[in-house]
Amino acid sequence: MAGIVTIRARIRRIAMAAAAVSALVAHGAHAQEKPGAVAGKISDGVVRIGVLNDQSGVYADFGGKGSVAAARLAIEDFGGKVLGAPVELIDADHQNKADIAAGIARRWYDADKVDAIVELTSSSAALAVQQLTREKKRINIVTGAATSELTGKQCSPYGFHWAFDTHAMAKAVGGALVEQGGKDWFFLTADYAFGHSLEEQTAKFVKSKGGNVVGQVRHPLNASDFSSFLLQAQNSGAKVIGLANAGMDTSNAIKQAAEFGIVQGGQRLASLLVTLSEVHGLGLPAANGLVLSEGFYWDLDDKARAFGQRYQKVTGRMPNMIQAGTYSAVLQYLKAIEAAGTDDADAVAAKLRAMPVEDAFSRNGKVLANGRMIHDMYLFEVKKPSESKQAFDYYKLLATIPGSQAFMTVEESGCPLAN
Protein backbone atom coordinates (compact mmCIF):
# COMPACT_ATOMS: atom_id res chain seq x y z
CA MET A 1 0.00 0.00 0.00
CA ALA A 2 2.87 2.35 0.87
CA GLY A 3 4.38 1.69 -2.56
CA ILE A 4 1.11 2.65 -4.26
CA VAL A 5 0.95 5.93 -2.28
CA THR A 6 4.54 6.75 -3.23
CA ILE A 7 3.81 6.16 -6.90
CA ARG A 8 0.69 8.37 -6.71
CA ALA A 9 2.71 11.14 -5.01
CA ARG A 10 5.32 10.97 -7.76
CA ILE A 11 2.62 11.17 -10.42
CA ARG A 12 1.15 14.26 -8.73
CA ARG A 13 4.60 15.93 -8.60
CA ILE A 14 5.24 15.18 -12.27
CA ALA A 15 1.81 16.60 -13.20
CA MET A 16 2.47 19.76 -11.18
CA ALA A 17 5.90 20.21 -12.79
CA ALA A 18 4.38 19.78 -16.26
CA ALA A 19 1.74 22.38 -15.47
CA ALA A 20 4.42 24.80 -14.28
CA VAL A 21 6.42 24.30 -17.49
CA SER A 22 3.26 24.85 -19.57
CA ALA A 23 2.57 28.08 -17.67
CA LEU A 24 6.11 29.33 -18.30
CA VAL A 25 5.88 28.51 -22.00
CA ALA A 26 2.51 30.28 -22.24
CA HIS A 27 3.93 33.32 -20.40
CA GLY A 28 6.92 33.40 -22.75
CA ALA A 29 4.69 33.26 -25.82
CA HIS A 30 2.50 36.03 -24.40
CA ALA A 31 5.58 38.17 -23.72
CA GLN A 32 6.75 37.71 -27.32
CA GLU A 33 3.36 38.85 -28.59
CA LYS A 34 3.38 41.90 -26.30
CA PRO A 35 6.99 43.08 -25.95
CA GLY A 36 6.09 45.89 -23.54
CA ALA A 37 4.52 43.54 -21.02
CA VAL A 38 7.42 41.33 -19.90
CA ALA A 39 8.67 41.05 -16.33
CA GLY A 40 10.91 43.92 -15.32
CA LYS A 41 8.75 46.36 -17.35
CA ILE A 42 11.54 47.00 -19.89
CA SER A 43 10.80 45.11 -23.10
CA ASP A 44 14.16 43.39 -23.63
CA GLY A 45 16.02 44.42 -20.50
CA VAL A 46 17.72 47.38 -22.20
CA VAL A 47 16.53 50.85 -23.27
CA ARG A 48 18.15 51.75 -26.59
CA ILE A 49 18.11 55.28 -28.00
CA GLY A 50 19.32 56.16 -31.49
CA VAL A 51 20.59 59.56 -32.63
CA LEU A 52 19.97 59.75 -36.38
CA ASN A 53 21.19 62.88 -38.18
CA ASP A 54 23.57 64.46 -40.69
CA GLN A 55 27.15 63.83 -39.57
CA SER A 56 29.05 64.54 -42.79
CA GLY A 57 27.06 66.98 -44.93
CA VAL A 58 25.82 70.57 -44.90
CA TYR A 59 24.14 70.17 -41.49
CA ALA A 60 26.99 68.34 -39.74
CA ASP A 61 27.68 71.33 -37.44
CA PHE A 62 23.97 71.99 -37.01
CA GLY A 63 23.58 68.88 -34.83
CA GLY A 64 25.91 66.12 -35.95
CA LYS A 65 28.25 64.47 -33.45
CA GLY A 66 27.48 67.36 -31.10
CA SER A 67 23.95 66.01 -30.68
CA VAL A 68 25.37 62.55 -29.94
CA ALA A 69 27.51 64.09 -27.18
CA ALA A 70 24.47 65.91 -25.78
CA ALA A 71 22.40 62.69 -25.72
CA ARG A 72 25.23 60.91 -23.90
CA LEU A 73 25.33 63.67 -21.27
CA ALA A 74 21.58 63.27 -20.71
CA ILE A 75 21.97 59.53 -20.14
CA GLU A 76 24.84 60.15 -17.73
CA ASP A 77 22.81 62.75 -15.83
CA PHE A 78 19.95 60.29 -15.48
CA GLY A 79 22.33 57.75 -13.99
CA GLY A 80 22.81 55.43 -16.96
CA LYS A 81 19.83 53.23 -16.02
CA VAL A 82 16.06 53.49 -15.95
CA LEU A 83 13.82 51.12 -13.94
CA GLY A 84 16.96 49.13 -13.25
CA ALA A 85 17.73 48.57 -16.95
CA PRO A 86 20.84 49.97 -18.67
CA VAL A 87 20.43 52.73 -21.27
CA GLU A 88 22.40 52.31 -24.51
CA LEU A 89 23.06 54.96 -27.17
CA ILE A 90 23.74 54.35 -30.85
CA ASP A 91 24.05 56.84 -33.71
CA ALA A 92 24.20 56.97 -37.51
CA ASP A 93 24.54 59.41 -40.42
CA HIS A 94 21.46 59.58 -42.67
CA GLN A 95 23.27 61.82 -45.21
CA ASN A 96 20.17 64.03 -45.47
CA LYS A 97 18.40 61.35 -47.53
CA ALA A 98 14.94 60.24 -46.52
CA ASP A 99 15.34 56.71 -47.93
CA ILE A 100 18.61 56.14 -46.05
CA ALA A 101 17.07 57.53 -42.85
CA ALA A 102 14.06 55.23 -43.15
CA GLY A 103 16.28 52.23 -43.91
CA ILE A 104 18.46 52.81 -40.85
CA ALA A 105 15.42 53.37 -38.65
CA ARG A 106 13.78 50.15 -39.87
CA ARG A 107 16.93 48.13 -39.12
CA TRP A 108 17.23 49.78 -35.71
CA TYR A 109 13.64 48.94 -34.82
CA ASP A 110 13.53 45.42 -36.25
CA ALA A 111 17.03 44.07 -35.63
CA ASP A 112 18.61 46.29 -32.97
CA LYS A 113 15.50 46.74 -30.80
CA VAL A 114 15.86 50.52 -30.60
CA ASP A 115 13.11 52.05 -28.46
CA ALA A 116 13.34 55.70 -29.56
CA ILE A 117 15.01 57.79 -32.28
CA VAL A 118 15.94 61.42 -31.70
CA GLU A 119 17.37 64.47 -33.50
CA LEU A 120 16.51 63.72 -37.19
CA THR A 121 18.02 66.71 -38.95
CA SER A 122 16.36 67.40 -42.33
CA SER A 123 12.59 67.60 -42.64
CA SER A 124 12.25 64.92 -45.32
CA ALA A 125 14.21 62.44 -43.19
CA ALA A 126 12.24 63.31 -40.07
CA LEU A 127 8.88 62.87 -41.81
CA ALA A 128 9.96 59.51 -43.26
CA VAL A 129 11.13 58.19 -39.90
CA GLN A 130 8.06 59.52 -38.10
CA GLN A 131 5.82 57.59 -40.48
CA LEU A 132 7.81 54.44 -39.72
CA THR A 133 7.62 54.99 -35.96
CA ARG A 134 3.86 55.27 -36.26
CA GLU A 135 3.78 51.83 -37.93
CA LYS A 136 6.22 50.29 -35.44
CA LYS A 137 4.70 52.00 -32.40
CA ARG A 138 8.01 53.44 -31.22
CA ILE A 139 8.90 56.95 -30.08
CA ASN A 140 10.64 59.64 -32.14
CA ILE A 141 11.57 63.08 -30.80
CA VAL A 142 12.70 65.54 -33.48
CA THR A 143 15.10 68.33 -32.52
CA GLY A 144 16.94 68.99 -35.79
CA ALA A 145 14.21 69.31 -38.45
CA ALA A 146 12.18 72.45 -39.03
CA THR A 147 8.89 71.56 -40.69
CA SER A 148 5.81 72.24 -38.60
CA GLU A 149 4.08 69.40 -40.53
CA LEU A 150 5.60 67.01 -37.96
CA THR A 151 2.98 68.21 -35.50
CA GLY A 152 0.54 69.34 -38.18
CA LYS A 153 -1.21 67.21 -40.77
CA GLN A 154 1.46 64.50 -40.49
CA CYS A 155 1.44 64.31 -36.69
CA SER A 156 1.71 60.95 -34.93
CA PRO A 157 0.68 59.57 -31.52
CA TYR A 158 4.34 58.56 -31.11
CA GLY A 159 5.98 61.64 -32.67
CA PHE A 160 7.28 64.69 -30.81
CA HIS A 161 8.89 67.96 -31.97
CA TRP A 162 11.16 69.62 -29.47
CA ALA A 163 13.59 72.48 -30.21
CA PHE A 164 12.02 74.72 -32.89
CA ASP A 165 9.94 74.72 -36.07
CA THR A 166 9.36 76.94 -39.10
CA HIS A 167 6.37 78.65 -37.46
CA ALA A 168 8.29 79.60 -34.32
CA MET A 169 11.34 80.83 -36.24
CA ALA A 170 9.20 82.86 -38.62
CA LYS A 171 7.24 84.46 -35.81
CA ALA A 172 10.29 85.16 -33.66
CA VAL A 173 12.29 86.78 -36.44
CA GLY A 174 9.54 88.17 -38.69
CA GLY A 175 7.11 89.40 -36.07
CA ALA A 176 9.53 90.60 -33.39
CA LEU A 177 11.91 92.33 -35.81
CA VAL A 178 9.12 94.38 -37.38
CA GLU A 179 8.23 95.61 -33.90
CA GLN A 180 11.82 96.85 -33.63
CA GLY A 181 11.56 98.92 -36.81
CA GLY A 182 12.34 96.39 -39.55
CA LYS A 183 9.22 96.99 -41.60
CA ASP A 184 10.36 96.53 -45.22
CA TRP A 185 11.62 93.06 -46.15
CA PHE A 186 13.36 91.42 -49.10
CA PHE A 187 13.68 87.60 -49.05
CA LEU A 188 16.63 85.58 -50.33
CA THR A 189 15.12 82.09 -50.42
CA ALA A 190 16.35 78.56 -51.08
CA ASP A 191 14.37 77.25 -54.04
CA TYR A 192 12.77 74.14 -52.52
CA ALA A 193 9.85 73.35 -50.23
CA PHE A 194 11.61 74.22 -46.96
CA GLY A 195 12.74 77.67 -48.18
CA HIS A 196 9.36 78.48 -49.72
CA SER A 197 7.56 77.53 -46.50
CA LEU A 198 9.92 79.58 -44.34
CA GLU A 199 9.52 82.64 -46.57
CA GLU A 200 5.74 82.27 -46.70
CA GLN A 201 5.34 81.95 -42.94
CA THR A 202 7.73 84.81 -42.16
CA ALA A 203 6.07 87.10 -44.69
CA LYS A 204 2.73 86.41 -43.01
CA PHE A 205 4.04 87.59 -39.64
CA VAL A 206 5.81 90.59 -41.18
CA LYS A 207 2.54 91.72 -42.75
CA SER A 208 0.51 90.97 -39.61
CA LYS A 209 2.70 93.47 -37.72
CA GLY A 210 2.26 96.17 -40.36
CA GLY A 211 5.39 95.41 -42.38
CA ASN A 212 5.81 94.97 -46.14
CA VAL A 213 7.55 92.53 -48.47
CA VAL A 214 9.19 94.57 -51.25
CA GLY A 215 10.65 91.63 -53.16
CA GLN A 216 12.23 88.20 -53.18
CA VAL A 217 14.71 86.11 -55.15
CA ARG A 218 15.16 82.34 -55.23
CA HIS A 219 18.54 80.56 -55.24
CA PRO A 220 19.36 76.88 -55.86
CA LEU A 221 20.25 74.54 -53.00
CA ASN A 222 24.00 74.45 -52.23
CA ALA A 223 24.67 77.68 -54.11
CA SER A 224 28.25 78.96 -53.97
CA ASP A 225 27.85 82.43 -55.49
CA PHE A 226 25.25 84.73 -53.92
CA SER A 227 26.55 87.98 -55.42
CA SER A 228 23.72 88.56 -57.91
CA PHE A 229 21.07 87.69 -55.31
CA LEU A 230 22.62 89.96 -52.68
CA LEU A 231 22.92 92.80 -55.20
CA GLN A 232 19.18 92.59 -55.88
CA ALA A 233 18.48 92.61 -52.15
CA GLN A 234 20.82 95.54 -51.56
CA ASN A 235 19.27 97.57 -54.38
CA SER A 236 15.73 96.88 -53.14
CA GLY A 237 16.13 99.42 -50.35
CA ALA A 238 14.56 96.97 -47.88
CA LYS A 239 15.30 97.57 -44.21
CA VAL A 240 15.68 93.80 -43.65
CA ILE A 241 17.09 91.08 -45.91
CA GLY A 242 15.60 87.78 -44.77
CA LEU A 243 17.61 84.60 -45.45
CA ALA A 244 15.10 81.78 -45.91
CA ASN A 245 17.69 79.02 -46.17
CA ALA A 246 19.90 76.90 -43.92
CA GLY A 247 23.26 75.21 -43.47
CA MET A 248 26.08 76.13 -45.86
CA ASP A 249 23.69 78.23 -47.97
CA THR A 250 23.12 80.53 -45.01
CA SER A 251 26.81 80.65 -44.10
CA ASN A 252 27.85 81.46 -47.68
CA ALA A 253 25.19 84.16 -47.98
CA ILE A 254 26.29 85.79 -44.70
CA LYS A 255 30.00 85.72 -45.69
CA GLN A 256 29.28 87.35 -49.02
CA ALA A 257 26.89 89.88 -47.46
CA ALA A 258 29.79 90.99 -45.26
CA GLU A 259 31.92 91.47 -48.38
CA PHE A 260 29.15 93.62 -49.87
CA GLY A 261 29.03 95.72 -46.68
CA ILE A 262 25.27 95.19 -46.37
CA VAL A 263 25.05 95.56 -42.57
CA GLN A 264 27.53 98.45 -42.60
CA GLY A 265 25.36 100.11 -45.23
CA GLY A 266 22.41 100.27 -42.84
CA GLN A 267 20.38 97.21 -43.86
CA ARG A 268 19.71 94.42 -41.36
CA LEU A 269 20.50 90.83 -42.24
CA ALA A 270 18.07 88.37 -40.65
CA SER A 271 18.57 84.62 -40.80
CA LEU A 272 15.44 82.54 -40.36
CA LEU A 273 17.40 79.40 -39.44
CA VAL A 274 20.94 79.68 -38.12
CA THR A 275 22.51 78.58 -34.85
CA LEU A 276 25.49 79.31 -32.62
CA SER A 277 27.50 76.64 -34.46
CA GLU A 278 27.22 78.45 -37.80
CA VAL A 279 27.97 81.81 -36.17
CA HIS A 280 31.08 80.28 -34.59
CA GLY A 281 32.19 78.97 -37.97
CA LEU A 282 31.64 82.35 -39.62
CA GLY A 283 33.36 84.40 -36.91
CA LEU A 284 32.17 87.73 -35.52
CA PRO A 285 33.85 89.91 -38.20
CA ALA A 286 31.54 88.32 -40.81
CA ALA A 287 28.47 87.61 -38.67
CA ASN A 288 28.17 90.73 -36.51
CA GLY A 289 24.86 92.53 -36.85
CA LEU A 290 23.05 89.36 -37.98
CA VAL A 291 19.61 88.96 -36.38
CA LEU A 292 18.43 85.43 -35.63
CA SER A 293 16.30 83.31 -33.33
CA GLU A 294 17.15 80.28 -31.20
CA GLY A 295 15.30 78.41 -28.48
CA PHE A 296 18.45 78.23 -26.33
CA TYR A 297 21.64 80.18 -25.63
CA TRP A 298 24.30 78.96 -23.25
CA ASP A 299 24.60 82.35 -21.49
CA LEU A 300 20.89 82.98 -20.84
CA ASP A 301 20.86 81.94 -17.18
CA ASP A 302 22.64 79.79 -14.58
CA LYS A 303 21.08 76.50 -15.76
CA ALA A 304 22.05 77.12 -19.37
CA ARG A 305 25.57 78.19 -18.39
CA ALA A 306 26.13 75.11 -16.22
CA PHE A 307 25.08 72.80 -19.05
CA GLY A 308 27.06 74.80 -21.61
CA GLN A 309 30.25 74.53 -19.58
CA ARG A 310 29.84 70.75 -19.13
CA TYR A 311 29.16 70.33 -22.84
CA GLN A 312 32.19 72.46 -23.73
CA LYS A 313 34.48 70.24 -21.64
CA VAL A 314 33.38 67.25 -23.73
CA THR A 315 33.21 68.83 -27.19
CA GLY A 316 35.38 71.95 -27.05
CA ARG A 317 32.48 74.25 -27.98
CA MET A 318 29.19 75.54 -26.63
CA PRO A 319 25.91 73.84 -27.65
CA ASN A 320 23.34 75.33 -30.00
CA MET A 321 19.58 74.84 -29.63
CA ILE A 322 19.55 71.55 -31.56
CA GLN A 323 22.22 70.02 -29.35
CA ALA A 324 20.76 71.37 -26.11
CA GLY A 325 17.32 70.30 -27.35
CA THR A 326 18.60 66.76 -27.93
CA TYR A 327 19.87 66.68 -24.34
CA SER A 328 16.42 67.76 -23.16
CA ALA A 329 14.58 65.27 -25.37
CA VAL A 330 16.62 62.26 -24.21
CA LEU A 331 16.40 63.30 -20.56
CA GLN A 332 12.62 63.77 -20.79
CA TYR A 333 12.19 60.43 -22.55
CA LEU A 334 13.96 58.65 -19.69
CA LYS A 335 11.89 60.58 -17.14
CA ALA A 336 8.74 59.48 -18.98
CA ILE A 337 9.78 55.80 -18.88
CA GLU A 338 10.40 56.10 -15.16
CA ALA A 339 7.04 57.81 -14.58
CA ALA A 340 5.19 55.25 -16.73
CA GLY A 341 6.91 52.31 -15.05
CA THR A 342 7.52 50.75 -18.48
CA ASP A 343 9.08 51.47 -21.88
CA ASP A 344 5.79 50.62 -23.65
CA ALA A 345 5.43 53.34 -26.31
CA ASP A 346 1.78 54.17 -25.60
CA ALA A 347 2.42 54.60 -21.88
CA VAL A 348 5.58 56.64 -22.45
CA ALA A 349 3.91 58.87 -25.06
CA ALA A 350 1.11 59.62 -22.59
CA LYS A 351 3.65 60.63 -19.93
CA LEU A 352 5.58 62.79 -22.39
CA ARG A 353 2.38 64.73 -23.07
CA ALA A 354 1.50 64.99 -19.39
CA MET A 355 4.81 65.96 -17.78
CA PRO A 356 6.28 69.50 -17.60
CA VAL A 357 9.67 70.02 -19.26
CA GLU A 358 12.10 71.73 -16.89
CA ASP A 359 15.81 71.35 -17.60
CA ALA A 360 18.86 73.15 -18.99
CA PHE A 361 17.06 73.74 -22.30
CA SER A 362 13.49 74.57 -21.29
CA ARG A 363 11.84 76.71 -18.64
CA ASN A 364 8.23 75.74 -17.92
CA GLY A 365 7.98 73.77 -21.16
CA LYS A 366 4.97 71.62 -21.93
CA VAL A 367 3.97 69.16 -24.63
CA LEU A 368 0.72 69.68 -26.51
CA ALA A 369 -1.61 66.90 -27.70
CA ASN A 370 -0.02 67.00 -31.17
CA GLY A 371 3.47 66.35 -29.74
CA ARG A 372 4.73 69.93 -30.04
CA MET A 373 6.83 70.95 -27.02
CA ILE A 374 6.32 74.65 -26.46
CA HIS A 375 8.96 76.83 -24.81
CA ASP A 376 10.23 80.39 -25.07
CA MET A 377 12.01 81.51 -28.23
CA TYR A 378 14.57 84.33 -28.30
CA LEU A 379 15.51 87.03 -30.80
CA PHE A 380 19.25 87.73 -30.80
CA GLU A 381 21.68 90.01 -32.58
CA VAL A 382 25.24 88.85 -33.14
CA LYS A 383 27.75 91.03 -31.31
CA LYS A 384 30.57 93.04 -32.82
CA PRO A 385 34.04 91.64 -32.11
CA SER A 386 34.65 94.50 -29.66
CA GLU A 387 31.54 93.57 -27.66
CA SER A 388 32.50 89.92 -27.11
CA LYS A 389 34.27 89.29 -23.79
CA GLN A 390 35.08 85.57 -24.15
CA ALA A 391 34.88 82.59 -26.48
CA PHE A 392 31.31 81.92 -27.65
CA ASP A 393 30.09 85.24 -26.20
CA TYR A 394 28.27 85.95 -29.44
CA TYR A 395 24.69 87.06 -28.78
CA LYS A 396 22.85 89.98 -27.27
CA LEU A 397 19.20 89.42 -26.46
CA LEU A 398 16.71 91.62 -28.30
CA ALA A 399 13.41 90.00 -27.33
CA THR A 400 11.83 86.97 -25.66
CA ILE A 401 8.80 85.41 -27.35
CA PRO A 402 6.75 83.28 -24.91
CA GLY A 403 6.19 79.71 -26.04
CA SER A 404 2.41 80.17 -26.09
CA GLN A 405 2.91 82.89 -28.71
CA ALA A 406 5.80 81.39 -30.65
CA PHE A 407 4.20 78.04 -31.50
CA MET A 408 0.88 77.08 -33.07
CA THR A 409 -1.95 75.75 -30.97
CA VAL A 410 -3.08 72.18 -31.63
CA GLU A 411 -6.17 73.51 -33.40
CA GLU A 412 -4.11 75.82 -35.64
CA SER A 413 -1.70 73.01 -36.51
CA GLY A 414 -4.28 70.89 -38.33
CA CYS A 415 -3.17 67.76 -36.48
CA PRO A 416 -5.93 65.09 -36.43
CA LEU A 417 -5.03 64.34 -32.80
CA ALA A 418 -6.78 67.59 -31.91
CA ASN A 419 -10.03 65.68 -32.39
Side-chain angles (χ1 to χ4, degrees):
M1 185 71 177
I4 295 173
V5 171
T6 302
I7 292 170
R8 286 176 177 171
R10 286 177 180 173
I11 292 171
R12 280 197 300 270
R13 285 197 296 270
I14 291 169
M16 290 173 65
V21 169
S22 297
L24 285 170
V25 170
H27 175 77
H30 181 68
Q32 287 180 352
E33 291 172 6
K34 296 184 178 181
V38 300
K41 302 177 183 178
I42 297 299
S43 54
D44 58 357
V46 178
V47 172
R48 292 185 180 88
I49 301 170
V51 177
L52 184 56
N53 60 7
D54 176 12
Q55 299 181 7
S56 59
V58 293
Y59 300 128
D61 283 342
F62 199 61
K65 286 293 187 180
S67 288
V68 179
R72 190 168 288 114
L73 283 174
I75 293 169
E76 289 175 6
D77 284 355
F78 199 78
K81 291 185 177 182
V82 58
L83 299 179
V87 181
E88 293 182 357
L89 185 70
I90 62 175
D91 67 273
D93 182 356
H94 63 39
Q95 302 173 46
N96 291 316
K97 295 178 180 178
D99 58 338
I100 292 178
I104 293 170
R106 187 176 295 280
R107 185 183 75 244
W108 278 0
Y109 287 147
D110 292 344
D112 299 329
K113 307 303 179 185
V114 168
D115 298 287
I117 295 177
V118 301
E119 222 270 39
L120 292 167
T121 306
S122 176
S123 294
S124 60
L127 288 166
V129 172
Q130 180 156 292
Q131 178 58 36
L132 183 63
T133 58
R134 176 196 287 271
E135 296 170 12
K136 299 291 183 180
K137 294 188 177 181
R138 306 289 176 88
I139 300 292
N140 70 271
I141 308 179
V142 178
T143 58
T147 180
S148 53
E149 283 296 294
L150 286 160
T151 51
K153 293 178 181 178
Q154 298 193 52
C155 67
S156 163
Y158 307 102
F160 299 85
H161 204 179
W162 221 249
F164 71 104
D165 62 25
T166 50
H167 183 276
M169 301 299 278
K171 190 161 189 179
V173 179
L177 196 49
V178 170
E179 292 177 347
Q180 299 201 2
K183 291 189 177 297
D184 298 323
W185 283 61
F186 185 99
F187 286 98
L188 199 160
T189 303
D191 195 11
Y192 65 110
F194 160 74
H196 299 173
S197 174
L198 201 51
E199 177 193 318
E200 180 183 354
Q201 291 189 50
T202 306
K204 180 180 72 173
F205 291 120
V206 167
K207 293 172 183 177
S208 73
K209 295 292 184 179
N212 303 298
V213 176
V214 301
Q216 62 275 318
V217 63
R218 304 283 169 81
H219 70 81
L221 182 65
N222 294 328
S224 58
D225 185 3
F226 285 84
S227 56
S228 64
F229 308 125
L230 289 167
L231 187 61
Q232 292 180 61
Q234 195 171 35
N235 291 337
S236 71
K239 293 287 186 184
V240 180
I241 299 172
L243 302 178
N245 49 24
M248 289 302 298
D249 284 336
T250 302
S251 296
N252 287 333
I254 293 169
K255 286 178 186 176
Q256 292 173 42
E259 295 170 5
F260 273 74
I262 283 177
V263 173
Q264 292 78 1
Q267 290 175 299
R268 301 191 84 169
L269 196 64
S271 175
L272 304 176
L273 184 50
V274 73
T275 73
L276 190 76
S277 299
E278 289 80 50
V279 172
H280 178 69
L282 286 163
L284 294 184
N288 78 88
L290 178 70
V291 178
L292 58 93
S293 177
E294 288 208 56
F296 172 87
Y297 178 48
W298 71 269
D299 203 22
L300 272 175
D301 58 24
D302 289 341
K303 277 188 177 181
R305 277 187 288 274
F307 172 69
Q309 288 160 5
R310 287 183 57 236
Y311 183 89
Q312 188 180 30
K313 287 180 181 178
V314 174
T315 65
R317 58 174 60 194
M318 289 294 181
N320 61 24
M321 69 173 168
I322 288 90
Q323 292 150 352
T326 301
Y327 170 87
S328 173
V330 171
L331 191 64
Q332 194 73 3
Y333 174 65
L334 295 175
K335 289 178 181 178
I337 291 176
E338 185 175 62
T342 175
D343 64 350
D344 175 74
D346 288 295
V348 173
K351 288 297 181 183
L352 282 169
R353 287 179 169 85
M355 296 167 57
V357 185
E358 185 69 34
D359 52 38
F361 175 82
S362 172
R363 308 293 170 273
N364 303 310
K366 66 177 182 178
V367 179
L368 303 181
N370 61 352
R372 174 68 258 176
M373 198 274 275
I374 62 172
H375 53 86
D376 292 348
M377 295 293 295
Y378 307 97
L379 186 70
F380 298 111
E381 182 177 307
V382 177
K383 292 181 176 181
K384 297 175 182 177
S386 60
E387 296 173 318
S388 179
K389 305 303 181 186
Q390 58 179 307
F392 296 95
D393 176 22
Y394 295 160
Y395 293 168
K396 50 187 175 184
L397 182 64
L398 299 180
T400 299
I401 301 90
S404 59
Q405 297 177 23
F407 296 95
M408 283 187 281
T409 65
V410 178
E411 292 72 24
E412 290 170 333
S413 73
C415 171
L417 297 178
N419 299 322

